[in-house]
Amino acid sequence: MTIAKVQHYVPQYLLRNFGNGKKDQVWVYDKTNGRSFSTNVKNVASESRFYDFEVEGEHHSLEPLLTRIESAAKPILQRLLDTDTVGELPAEDRHTLSAFLAVQFTRTR
């Protein structure tokens, strides 16, 4: 399995919901430089090899696990956007969404 080099800590499919109308474009505020600019979602909320690490000379990555969690949550989140309610979510979807949100809270520095 190939592991992505650029690893997003906010899934791109979430960022696209905040686009400004152009294809995959979002507004970004750079706190370091104090400037705002528009860019593609692939260029924000990510770092190179962010979830890769080494233990006793072995290379590991959390990216495949995070990808599975994101993939499971994606259709549920889309359904929430389409229906604008959580009231009809089955218990299994609520558990999946809860796990996704818990992981999101811990994904950045």
Side-chain angles (χ1 to χ4, degrees):
M1 170 188 240
T2 303
I3 297 173
K5 179 182 178 190
V6 177
Q7 300 168 350
H8 287 80
Y9 38 85
V10 177
Q12 292 180 67
Y13 69 81
L14 284 182
L15 293 170
R16 286 185 187 104
N17 291 299
F18 298 94
N20 63 4
K22 294 180 182 176
K23 185 176 178 162
D24 295 338
Q25 296 287 305
V26 292
W27 280 97
V28 177
Y29 177 70
D30 184 337
K31 293 190 296 186
T32 304
N33 299 324
R35 67 182 190 102
S36 299
F37 57 94
S38 180
T39 189
N40 192 290
V41 296
K42 70 181 178 180
N43 300 325
V44 296
S46 64
E47 289 187 31
S48 179
R49 305 285 184 203
F50 188 67
Y51 297 112
D52 297 356
F53 59 98
E54 193 173 305
V55 176
E56 296 179 0
E58 276 191 51
H59 296 281
H60 300 277
S61 181
L62 297 175
E63 183 69 11
L65 172 64
L66 294 168
T67 298
R68 285 196 303 273
I69 293 169
E70 290 173 13
S71 296
K74 184 176 181 179
I76 299 166
L77 290 165
Q78 187 58 55
R79 203 166 338 120
L80 290 177
L81 289 170
D82 293 342
T83 63
D84 199 27
T85 182
V86 294
E88 298 179 17
L89 277 182
E92 183 176 340
D93 287 353
R94 288 177 187 250
H95 293 213
T96 300
L97 191 56
S98 295
F100 171 78
L101 292 172
V103 167
Q104 279 304 115
F105 278 115
T106 64
R107 286 182 78 165
T108 60
R109 294 185 194 276

